[in-house]
Amino acid sequence: MATLDHNDKKVIGKRVVRNEDPRLLTGQAQYVDDVDLPGMAHAAMFRSEYAHARILSLDVSKARAYPGVLAVFTADDMGADCYPGPPLVSPPPTVKDVVFNSRRQVPLVKEKVRHAGEVIAVVVAETRYIAEDAADLIDIEYEPLPVVADIEQALEADSPLVHDDLDSNLAAQLIQTKGDYEAARKSADVLIRRRFTIERGTAAAMENRGIVAQWDAKSESLTVWDTTQAPIPIRNGLAARLGLSESKVRVIAPFIGGGFGPKIMMFYSEEMLVPWLAIKLNRPVKWIEDRRENFYATTQERGQVHDVEMAFTRDGKILGIKDDFIHDTGAYDPYGLTTPLNTQSHVMGGYDIKNFTSEFKVAFTNKTIVTPMRGAGRPHGVYVIERMMDIAAKELGIDRVEIRRRNLIQPDAFPYEHGIIDQAFAPLIFDSGNYQAALDETLKAIGYEKFVKEEQPRYRAEGRRVGIGVLPFIETTGVGPYEGARVTVEANGKIAVATGVGTQGQGHFTSFAQIVAEQVGVDVTDVRITTGDSAHFNWGTGTFASRGAVVAGNAMHAAAVMVRKKIFKLASKVLNAPEEELELENGVVRVADIPQSSISLKDLAVLANPLRGAVEPGTEPGLEATAYYGPQYGPTAFGVHAMIAEIDPETMMIKILRYVVTEDCGTILNPLILEGQVHGGVALGLGNAYYEKLHFDENAQLLNASFMDYLLVGSTEMPRIDVRHLETRSPLNELGTKGAGEAGAIPVPALFAQTMEDALYDYNFEIRETPLNPNRLFEIVREEKTT
Amino acid sequence: MEATNQKIELTVTVNGTRYEREIEPRMLLSDFLRHEIGLTGTHVGCEHGVCGACSVLMDDQPVRSCLMFAVQTQGHEITTVEGLGTMDALSPVQQAFHEAHGLQCGFCTPGILTTVTAFLETNPDPSEEEAREAISGNLCRCTGYQHIVDAVLLAAKKKQAAG
Ligand code: FES
Ligand code: FES
């Protein structure tokens, strides 16, 4: 395969500042809530107060009569248009013995609500203020039903049912195995068994969701601005749902204020409703979620309970692992098996494990729908394996770094085939890596030896509790099916690039521009990227699974290579020189050694699209190319995190003194952007480790649905993060890239637990849950002391 | 219910321009800025005073525009992110955020820029800890704050160099 030579890249890998910044920094970037259309009406959702209840009566007449209200719709009013959204990722028939009961959300609920916050009616009015006033006038009578709040109880025989047409709350079930775990456990010196609980959190993008839809009755075309990570599938789905031609539906995902996964749920109730309303009322309609709605109605993730057993030899070699777990999907399961499959793919970590068996059961509960959120099941797998490694290290009396070193996959073992399937139902294969190198780099950077031998004893002598943690993680990234890109040299000499993926802050306007600039020989600022607008590029799937830089990035590279060829071909003719003698730099093609013999891209673009004469047979006009990239399976990134933190055993408040990340995501496109991604990921990870738990009571009512009560990590709690880079190129794609978007978040809860145990060395306790918070940590430490 | 329809006359200066509008007394300042006078640079992330995305300056002091009624700004001067600089002429704080990669999705950014602009007036040479403290009332879900802190420190340097 023709790979890009590592050493003579000019633009890729450089710390380039971002093209998109000036717009964002001056308030000139358009987000969905900034869209303002003449005659625009505003929608407010009337949502269920109960988590599980039958609707006995619903009276919207007072709301309808309220001045300024244009319409109120219920499921009855929507009639046959009120049917569920599509299943997103059903397992293909090749996946054997899988149970999958697909139950999807509807635009408006008719008979029975299944989680608090489900939409029952929608009010459309001249202003949002009026729409909300009127929504308060809706009369409803519920019959509360017994609630399924706990994922383990959900699967007990006497549990109430979330979906009455099923005979249990089992949404999905799958067993995956590798080798022979039973045999492995028989030959083991030591068996370790534990149970781990991982709680639900929320992605909390700073921008809530929003949709604006505009219908043009004369041309029968629909334009939708949507805070989605997947504009093209939304376009296709809306067209199908509304009986329109795809070419008549334009979906724009403009600047998005953070995505982190939940903005790719298809379709949210409101996403189905608002375009329908715009057509029905023949007026533009806007709906913007508020933060409270976001806590109830935007999808969440993380709830799982694991029962794990691991078999070890006396010298710490892993013989096998058995991990059975329950995954909470909430009231519906539009995303099928994605998250638990990701967990299974990560529960072996970066270790050479020959025997594995894992069964997951996905449970319906009366809670907000669960779909992937930054990390997407991966932190759970990593938490389980890394906690088990810590426990094994203690039981076997082996240093915790050493036991990991003994089990990491060796650099010569790649590609490492696991023989199970990943979240995309593709084979789980780790394409490449150098795990030991990342471990060594991290130990050196954090000063592990010195800390353990000199600093920690000193702290302990002073009565201070300062702990260190170090652990590795893997991240499967860049899954298919495909993305595409079109690269065009425009007559003004600038390069226009379009791709279907949406962007939510990842710096695509810059990192993609670097990929193109590398080939087309222009300044990064002369490459103008359009993302997420189906009018500009209408093939693609979306931004998820850390795939932008891998999948869209390689499509962009392929298109840019094709354009480069066209440039050289035409320039060779115009300059009357063989292609080999041409150089392309600073927007100009010149003949090597003859500087006066040159032509600008601008002039070439004009020549390539002549007004007179003939385009030669077999050639196309313009300096333009479109290319696609679809991997058979995704590359797997790797990294190691380490931290040193002090804890006050009285208050259980922590202070992180040092934090080191070594990230190996293959070829780096832009270290500045990559570091930003890692920092943000670690911040979310620390939230998941220490702060962020959605507290649902026994009625599945959320008790902390505001930023006052659900704490995000703030600037004073974040340590400075020292990011180190290694570049083990992926052999799977020309750029050699692997994804990194979720990496930062993945190992943090496990690392946090390890560090806390090390800091509180003189207490006898074990952390088997996440997140913790000062209270909970205090309880755990005390509980174990008294038992 | 009638009371909500009663309108009040408001005169306020925003980014140096005088606006006169008849508005409902319950209209939030954030909604006034965004939807009445079209300055959508000010963002709303929580509507309950925690995230800081909606921060603007009132007479050079940061305020949360989601926690104020527009009528409370009667006769005052408001500065929003649009008033700090332009795409071709970024303010020193905006320029520093650009160079230090102090933003990702950009949603929290306007509130941070206004807050930091006011902060550097009172503390032109902050330590890292003071910089962290200064933005501790602003939530950012993308950056982990490190590059924001770098940007604040860089902005201080730039402003000092510019005198
Ligand atoms: S929107 Fe005002 S503080 Fe969050
Ligand atoms: S840059 Fe996205 S929230 Fe701060």
PDB file of all heavy atoms in Angstrom, chain A residues 29-35 207 210 224-228 231 251-257 501-505 509 531-533:
ATOM      1  N   ALA A  29     -20.180  32.341  14.784  1.00  0.00           N
ATOM      2  CA  ALA A  29     -20.435  30.956  14.361  1.00  0.00           C
ATOM      3  C   ALA A  29     -21.919  30.668  14.561  1.00  0.00           C
ATOM      4  O   ALA A  29     -22.484  31.042  15.580  1.00  0.00           O
ATOM      5  CB  ALA A  29     -19.597  30.003  15.203  1.00  0.00           C
ATOM      6  N   GLN A  30     -22.500  29.993  13.612  1.00  0.00           N
ATOM      7  CA  GLN A  30     -23.922  29.709  13.747  1.00  0.00           C
ATOM      8  C   GLN A  30     -24.172  28.345  14.389  1.00  0.00           C
ATOM      9  O   GLN A  30     -23.760  27.318  13.880  1.00  0.00           O
ATOM     10  CB  GLN A  30     -24.623  29.745  12.389  1.00  0.00           C
ATOM     11  CG  GLN A  30     -26.134  29.652  12.568  1.00  0.00           C
ATOM     12  CD  GLN A  30     -26.869  29.634  11.246  1.00  0.00           C
ATOM     13  OE1 GLN A  30     -26.572  28.830  10.378  1.00  0.00           O
ATOM     14  NE2 GLN A  30     -27.826  30.527  11.094  1.00  0.00           N
ATOM     15  N   TYR A  31     -24.844  28.370  15.529  1.00  0.00           N
ATOM     16  CA  TYR A  31     -25.336  27.151  16.177  1.00  0.00           C
ATOM     17  C   TYR A  31     -26.834  27.062  15.877  1.00  0.00           C
ATOM     18  O   TYR A  31     -27.436  28.023  15.389  1.00  0.00           O
ATOM     19  CB  TYR A  31     -25.109  27.220  17.694  1.00  0.00           C
ATOM     20  CG  TYR A  31     -23.656  27.280  18.101  1.00  0.00           C
ATOM     21  CD1 TYR A  31     -22.952  28.472  18.084  1.00  0.00           C
ATOM     22  CD2 TYR A  31     -22.978  26.129  18.501  1.00  0.00           C
ATOM     23  CE1 TYR A  31     -21.612  28.531  18.445  1.00  0.00           C
ATOM     24  CE2 TYR A  31     -21.644  26.182  18.875  1.00  0.00           C
ATOM     25  CZ  TYR A  31     -20.959  27.383  18.846  1.00  0.00           C
ATOM     26  OH  TYR A  31     -19.637  27.428  19.221  1.00  0.00           O
ATOM     27  N   VAL A  32     -27.428  25.926  16.190  1.00  0.00           N
ATOM     28  CA  VAL A  32     -28.827  25.730  15.795  1.00  0.00           C
ATOM     29  C   VAL A  32     -29.740  26.807  16.395  1.00  0.00           C
ATOM     30  O   VAL A  32     -30.599  27.357  15.709  1.00  0.00           O
ATOM     31  CB  VAL A  32     -29.322  24.318  16.185  1.00  0.00           C
ATOM     32  CG1 VAL A  32     -30.831  24.204  15.989  1.00  0.00           C
ATOM     33  CG2 VAL A  32     -28.607  23.267  15.331  1.00  0.00           C
ATOM     34  N   ASP A  33     -29.512  27.144  17.667  1.00  0.00           N
ATOM     35  CA  ASP A  33     -30.406  28.127  18.289  1.00  0.00           C
ATOM     36  C   ASP A  33     -30.198  29.529  17.718  1.00  0.00           C
ATOM     37  O   ASP A  33     -30.941  30.450  18.037  1.00  0.00           O
ATOM     38  CB  ASP A  33     -30.212  28.129  19.816  1.00  0.00           C
ATOM     39  CG  ASP A  33     -31.305  28.915  20.539  1.00  0.00           C
ATOM     40  OD1 ASP A  33     -32.394  29.111  19.947  1.00  0.00           O
ATOM     41  OD2 ASP A  33     -31.077  29.348  21.677  1.00  0.00           O
ATOM     42  N   ASP A  34     -29.189  29.707  16.899  1.00  0.00           N
ATOM     43  CA  ASP A  34     -28.962  31.029  16.296  1.00  0.00           C
ATOM     44  C   ASP A  34     -29.746  31.197  14.999  1.00  0.00           C
ATOM     45  O   ASP A  34     -29.784  32.296  14.438  1.00  0.00           O
ATOM     46  CB  ASP A  34     -27.465  31.235  16.008  1.00  0.00           C
ATOM     47  CG  ASP A  34     -26.616  31.059  17.259  1.00  0.00           C
ATOM     48  OD1 ASP A  34     -27.172  31.078  18.373  1.00  0.00           O
ATOM     49  OD2 ASP A  34     -25.387  30.871  17.121  1.00  0.00           O
ATOM     50  N   VAL A  35     -30.332  30.113  14.514  1.00  0.00           N
ATOM     51  CA  VAL A  35     -31.091  30.187  13.259  1.00  0.00           C
ATOM     52  C   VAL A  35     -32.369  30.968  13.532  1.00  0.00           C
ATOM     53  O   VAL A  35     -33.106  30.667  14.468  1.00  0.00           O
ATOM     54  CB  VAL A  35     -31.423  28.775  12.732  1.00  0.00           C
ATOM     55  CG1 VAL A  35     -32.326  28.849  11.504  1.00  0.00           C
ATOM     56  CG2 VAL A  35     -30.147  28.012  12.421  1.00  0.00           C
ATOM     57  N   GLU A 207     -23.927  22.738  25.007  1.00  0.00           N
ATOM     58  CA  GLU A 207     -25.101  23.107  24.216  1.00  0.00           C
ATOM     59  C   GLU A 207     -26.126  21.996  24.336  1.00  0.00           C
ATOM     60  O   GLU A 207     -25.819  20.834  24.088  1.00  0.00           O
ATOM     61  CB  GLU A 207     -24.714  23.275  22.742  1.00  0.00           C
ATOM     62  CG  GLU A 207     -25.894  23.614  21.843  1.00  0.00           C
ATOM     63  CD  GLU A 207     -25.631  23.289  20.362  1.00  0.00           C
ATOM     64  OE1 GLU A 207     -24.987  22.248  20.086  1.00  0.00           O
ATOM     65  OE2 GLU A 207     -26.071  24.035  19.494  1.00  0.00           O
ATOM     66  N   GLY A 210     -31.228  20.842  19.842  1.00  0.00           N
ATOM     67  CA  GLY A 210     -32.160  21.778  19.229  1.00  0.00           C
ATOM     68  C   GLY A 210     -32.411  21.416  17.781  1.00  0.00           C
ATOM     69  O   GLY A 210     -31.569  20.769  17.139  1.00  0.00           O
ATOM     70  N   VAL A 224     -33.636  21.316   7.522  1.00  0.00           N
ATOM     71  CA  VAL A 224     -33.618  21.064   8.959  1.00  0.00           C
ATOM     72  C   VAL A 224     -32.231  21.385   9.509  1.00  0.00           C
ATOM     73  O   VAL A 224     -31.227  20.903   8.984  1.00  0.00           O
ATOM     74  CB  VAL A 224     -33.963  19.583   9.257  1.00  0.00           C
ATOM     75  CG1 VAL A 224     -33.879  19.303  10.751  1.00  0.00           C
ATOM     76  CG2 VAL A 224     -35.347  19.228   8.732  1.00  0.00           C
ATOM     77  N   TRP A 225     -32.196  22.218  10.529  1.00  0.00           N
ATOM     78  CA  TRP A 225     -30.949  22.448  11.265  1.00  0.00           C
ATOM     79  C   TRP A 225     -31.046  21.605  12.532  1.00  0.00           C
ATOM     80  O   TRP A 225     -32.030  21.708  13.273  1.00  0.00           O
ATOM     81  CB  TRP A 225     -30.808  23.918  11.654  1.00  0.00           C
ATOM     82  CG  TRP A 225     -30.546  24.847  10.515  1.00  0.00           C
ATOM     83  CD1 TRP A 225     -29.351  25.374  10.137  1.00  0.00           C
ATOM     84  CD2 TRP A 225     -31.522  25.400   9.601  1.00  0.00           C
ATOM     85  NE1 TRP A 225     -29.518  26.211   9.055  1.00  0.00           N
ATOM     86  CE2 TRP A 225     -30.833  26.245   8.703  1.00  0.00           C
ATOM     87  CE3 TRP A 225     -32.906  25.262   9.447  1.00  0.00           C
ATOM     88  CZ2 TRP A 225     -31.467  26.946   7.689  1.00  0.00           C
ATOM     89  CZ3 TRP A 225     -33.550  25.955   8.432  1.00  0.00           C
ATOM     90  CH2 TRP A 225     -32.836  26.787   7.562  1.00  0.00           C
ATOM     91  N   ASP A 226     -30.066  20.786  12.767  1.00  0.00           N
ATOM     92  CA  ASP A 226     -30.200  19.808  13.845  1.00  0.00           C
ATOM     93  C   ASP A 226     -28.859  19.687  14.568  1.00  0.00           C
ATOM     94  O   ASP A 226     -27.810  19.599  13.930  1.00  0.00           O
ATOM     95  CB  ASP A 226     -30.611  18.458  13.222  1.00  0.00           C
ATOM     96  CG  ASP A 226     -30.942  17.397  14.259  1.00  0.00           C
ATOM     97  OD1 ASP A 226     -30.750  17.642  15.465  1.00  0.00           O
ATOM     98  OD2 ASP A 226     -31.377  16.304  13.854  1.00  0.00           O
ATOM     99  N   THR A 227     -28.904  19.649  15.892  1.00  0.00           N
ATOM    100  CA  THR A 227     -27.668  19.442  16.663  1.00  0.00           C
ATOM    101  C   THR A 227     -27.289  17.962  16.624  1.00  0.00           C
ATOM    102  O   THR A 227     -27.101  17.338  17.664  1.00  0.00           O
ATOM    103  CB  THR A 227     -27.861  19.830  18.147  1.00  0.00           C
ATOM    104  OG1 THR A 227     -29.013  19.134  18.647  1.00  0.00           O
ATOM    105  CG2 THR A 227     -28.033  21.306  18.338  1.00  0.00           C
ATOM    106  N   THR A 228     -27.155  17.428  15.454  1.00  0.00           N
ATOM    107  CA  THR A 228     -26.883  15.998  15.343  1.00  0.00           C
ATOM    108  C   THR A 228     -25.431  15.752  14.954  1.00  0.00           C
ATOM    109  O   THR A 228     -24.815  16.570  14.275  1.00  0.00           O
ATOM    110  CB  THR A 228     -27.804  15.323  14.309  1.00  0.00           C
ATOM    111  OG1 THR A 228     -27.496  13.926  14.271  1.00  0.00           O
ATOM    112  CG2 THR A 228     -27.623  15.907  12.918  1.00  0.00           C
ATOM    113  N   PRO A 231     -25.730  14.032  10.366  1.00  0.00           N
ATOM    114  CA  PRO A 231     -26.712  14.717   9.515  1.00  0.00           C
ATOM    115  C   PRO A 231     -27.205  13.897   8.313  1.00  0.00           C
ATOM    116  O   PRO A 231     -28.371  14.013   7.951  1.00  0.00           O
ATOM    117  CB  PRO A 231     -25.965  15.977   9.044  1.00  0.00           C
ATOM    118  CG  PRO A 231     -24.523  15.720   9.321  1.00  0.00           C
ATOM    119  CD  PRO A 231     -24.466  14.791  10.473  1.00  0.00           C
ATOM    120  N   VAL A 251     -30.366  18.487   5.467  1.00  0.00           N
ATOM    121  CA  VAL A 251     -30.107  18.551   6.902  1.00  0.00           C
ATOM    122  C   VAL A 251     -28.751  19.210   7.121  1.00  0.00           C
ATOM    123  O   VAL A 251     -27.751  18.828   6.503  1.00  0.00           O
ATOM    124  CB  VAL A 251     -30.153  17.158   7.566  1.00  0.00           C
ATOM    125  CG1 VAL A 251     -29.712  17.243   9.020  1.00  0.00           C
ATOM    126  CG2 VAL A 251     -31.564  16.595   7.476  1.00  0.00           C
ATOM    127  N   ILE A 252     -28.761  20.202   7.976  1.00  0.00           N
ATOM    128  CA  ILE A 252     -27.539  20.940   8.272  1.00  0.00           C
ATOM    129  C   ILE A 252     -27.216  20.759   9.752  1.00  0.00           C
ATOM    130  O   ILE A 252     -28.052  21.038  10.606  1.00  0.00           O
ATOM    131  CB  ILE A 252     -27.733  22.448   7.994  1.00  0.00           C
ATOM    132  CG1 ILE A 252     -28.172  22.664   6.540  1.00  0.00           C
ATOM    133  CG2 ILE A 252     -26.462  23.232   8.314  1.00  0.00           C
ATOM    134  CD1 ILE A 252     -28.693  24.064   6.269  1.00  0.00           C
ATOM    135  N   ALA A 253     -26.033  20.253  10.017  1.00  0.00           N
ATOM    136  CA  ALA A 253     -25.536  20.257  11.392  1.00  0.00           C
ATOM    137  C   ALA A 253     -24.503  21.372  11.435  1.00  0.00           C
ATOM    138  O   ALA A 253     -23.370  21.176  11.023  1.00  0.00           O
ATOM    139  CB  ALA A 253     -24.904  18.916  11.732  1.00  0.00           C
ATOM    140  N   PRO A 254     -24.892  22.559  11.871  1.00  0.00           N
ATOM    141  CA  PRO A 254     -23.948  23.683  11.824  1.00  0.00           C
ATOM    142  C   PRO A 254     -22.922  23.534  12.948  1.00  0.00           C
ATOM    143  O   PRO A 254     -22.579  22.405  13.302  1.00  0.00           O
ATOM    144  CB  PRO A 254     -24.868  24.891  12.026  1.00  0.00           C
ATOM    145  CG  PRO A 254     -26.022  24.364  12.815  1.00  0.00           C
ATOM    146  CD  PRO A 254     -26.160  22.906  12.462  1.00  0.00           C
ATOM    147  N   PHE A 255     -22.420  24.602  13.506  1.00  0.00           N
ATOM    148  CA  PHE A 255     -21.548  24.445  14.671  1.00  0.00           C
ATOM    149  C   PHE A 255     -22.364  23.795  15.788  1.00  0.00           C
ATOM    150  O   PHE A 255     -23.506  24.186  16.038  1.00  0.00           O
ATOM    151  CB  PHE A 255     -21.006  25.802  15.127  1.00  0.00           C
ATOM    152  CG  PHE A 255     -19.838  26.258  14.306  1.00  0.00           C
ATOM    153  CD1 PHE A 255     -20.000  27.175  13.280  1.00  0.00           C
ATOM    154  CD2 PHE A 255     -18.575  25.736  14.548  1.00  0.00           C
ATOM    155  CE1 PHE A 255     -18.910  27.577  12.515  1.00  0.00           C
ATOM    156  CE2 PHE A 255     -17.481  26.133  13.782  1.00  0.00           C
ATOM    157  CZ  PHE A 255     -17.650  27.056  12.763  1.00  0.00           C
ATOM    158  N   ILE A 256     -21.773  22.815  16.415  1.00  0.00           N
ATOM    159  CA  ILE A 256     -22.469  22.085  17.474  1.00  0.00           C
ATOM    160  C   ILE A 256     -21.658  22.267  18.758  1.00  0.00           C
ATOM    161  O   ILE A 256     -20.442  22.099  18.752  1.00  0.00           O
ATOM    162  CB  ILE A 256     -22.543  20.572  17.144  1.00  0.00           C
ATOM    163  CG1 ILE A 256     -23.138  20.327  15.754  1.00  0.00           C
ATOM    164  CG2 ILE A 256     -23.318  19.825  18.226  1.00  0.00           C
ATOM    165  CD1 ILE A 256     -24.611  20.434  15.632  1.00  0.00           C
ATOM    166  N   GLY A 257     -22.362  22.585  19.825  1.00  0.00           N
ATOM    167  CA  GLY A 257     -21.683  22.865  21.088  1.00  0.00           C
ATOM    168  C   GLY A 257     -21.373  21.631  21.900  1.00  0.00           C
ATOM    169  O   GLY A 257     -21.797  21.473  23.037  1.00  0.00           O
ATOM    170  N   VAL A 501     -19.538  14.005   7.557  1.00  0.00           N
ATOM    171  CA  VAL A 501     -19.524  13.919   9.035  1.00  0.00           C
ATOM    172  C   VAL A 501     -19.803  15.291   9.636  1.00  0.00           C
ATOM    173  O   VAL A 501     -19.480  16.316   9.046  1.00  0.00           O
ATOM    174  CB  VAL A 501     -18.191  13.385   9.614  1.00  0.00           C
ATOM    175  CG1 VAL A 501     -17.893  11.998   9.112  1.00  0.00           C
ATOM    176  CG2 VAL A 501     -17.037  14.329   9.344  1.00  0.00           C
ATOM    177  N   GLY A 502     -20.397  15.290  10.790  1.00  0.00           N
ATOM    178  CA  GLY A 502     -20.625  16.545  11.498  1.00  0.00           C
ATOM    179  C   GLY A 502     -19.439  16.850  12.387  1.00  0.00           C
ATOM    180  O   GLY A 502     -18.562  16.013  12.596  1.00  0.00           O
ATOM    181  N   THR A 503     -19.389  18.059  12.907  1.00  0.00           N
ATOM    182  CA  THR A 503     -18.260  18.428  13.757  1.00  0.00           C
ATOM    183  C   THR A 503     -18.784  19.075  15.027  1.00  0.00           C
ATOM    184  O   THR A 503     -19.738  19.832  14.991  1.00  0.00           O
ATOM    185  CB  THR A 503     -17.280  19.339  12.985  1.00  0.00           C
ATOM    186  OG1 THR A 503     -16.098  19.495  13.757  1.00  0.00           O
ATOM    187  CG2 THR A 503     -17.882  20.705  12.683  1.00  0.00           C
ATOM    188  N   GLN A 504     -18.228  18.724  16.152  1.00  0.00           N
ATOM    189  CA  GLN A 504     -18.719  19.234  17.433  1.00  0.00           C
ATOM    190  C   GLN A 504     -17.580  19.794  18.268  1.00  0.00           C
ATOM    191  O   GLN A 504     -17.597  19.725  19.489  1.00  0.00           O
ATOM    192  CB  GLN A 504     -19.443  18.121  18.217  1.00  0.00           C
ATOM    193  CG  GLN A 504     -20.547  17.409  17.462  1.00  0.00           C
ATOM    194  CD  GLN A 504     -20.027  16.256  16.615  1.00  0.00           C
ATOM    195  OE1 GLN A 504     -19.127  15.545  17.021  1.00  0.00           O
ATOM    196  NE2 GLN A 504     -20.589  16.082  15.444  1.00  0.00           N
ATOM    197  N   GLY A 505     -16.569  20.305  17.598  1.00  0.00           N
ATOM    198  CA  GLY A 505     -15.482  20.928  18.338  1.00  0.00           C
ATOM    199  C   GLY A 505     -14.142  20.230  18.188  1.00  0.00           C
ATOM    200  O   GLY A 505     -13.156  20.630  18.788  1.00  0.00           O
ATOM    201  N   PHE A 509     -12.052  21.483  10.899  1.00  0.00           N
ATOM    202  CA  PHE A 509     -11.789  22.510   9.880  1.00  0.00           C
ATOM    203  C   PHE A 509     -10.290  22.723   9.721  1.00  0.00           C
ATOM    204  O   PHE A 509      -9.847  23.358   8.778  1.00  0.00           O
ATOM    205  CB  PHE A 509     -12.465  23.826  10.263  1.00  0.00           C
ATOM    206  CG  PHE A 509     -13.963  23.699  10.365  1.00  0.00           C
ATOM    207  CD1 PHE A 509     -14.577  23.371  11.563  1.00  0.00           C
ATOM    208  CD2 PHE A 509     -14.751  23.857   9.241  1.00  0.00           C
ATOM    209  CE1 PHE A 509     -15.954  23.233  11.645  1.00  0.00           C
ATOM    210  CE2 PHE A 509     -16.126  23.714   9.317  1.00  0.00           C
ATOM    211  CZ  PHE A 509     -16.736  23.396  10.527  1.00  0.00           C
ATOM    212  N   THR A 531     -18.559  20.732   6.709  1.00  0.00           N
ATOM    213  CA  THR A 531     -18.965  19.456   7.289  1.00  0.00           C
ATOM    214  C   THR A 531     -20.454  19.483   7.549  1.00  0.00           C
ATOM    215  O   THR A 531     -21.044  20.543   7.769  1.00  0.00           O
ATOM    216  CB  THR A 531     -18.264  19.186   8.642  1.00  0.00           C
ATOM    217  OG1 THR A 531     -18.700  20.176   9.584  1.00  0.00           O
ATOM    218  CG2 THR A 531     -16.768  19.226   8.541  1.00  0.00           C
ATOM    219  N   GLY A 532     -21.044  18.303   7.536  1.00  0.00           N
ATOM    220  CA  GLY A 532     -22.389  18.165   8.057  1.00  0.00           C
ATOM    221  C   GLY A 532     -23.453  18.995   7.380  1.00  0.00           C
ATOM    222  O   GLY A 532     -24.302  19.566   8.051  1.00  0.00           O
ATOM    223  N   ASP A 533     -23.428  19.089   6.066  1.00  0.00           N
ATOM    224  CA  ASP A 533     -24.517  19.757   5.351  1.00  0.00           C
ATOM    225  C   ASP A 533     -24.830  18.894   4.138  1.00  0.00           C
ATOM    226  O   ASP A 533     -24.021  18.798   3.211  1.00  0.00           O
ATOM    227  CB  ASP A 533     -24.077  21.163   4.934  1.00  0.00           C
ATOM    228  CG  ASP A 533     -25.185  21.913   4.213  1.00  0.00           C
ATOM    229  OD1 ASP A 533     -26.161  21.279   3.765  1.00  0.00           O
ATOM    230  OD2 ASP A 533     -25.075  23.146   4.099  1.00  0.00           O
TER     231      ASP A 533
END
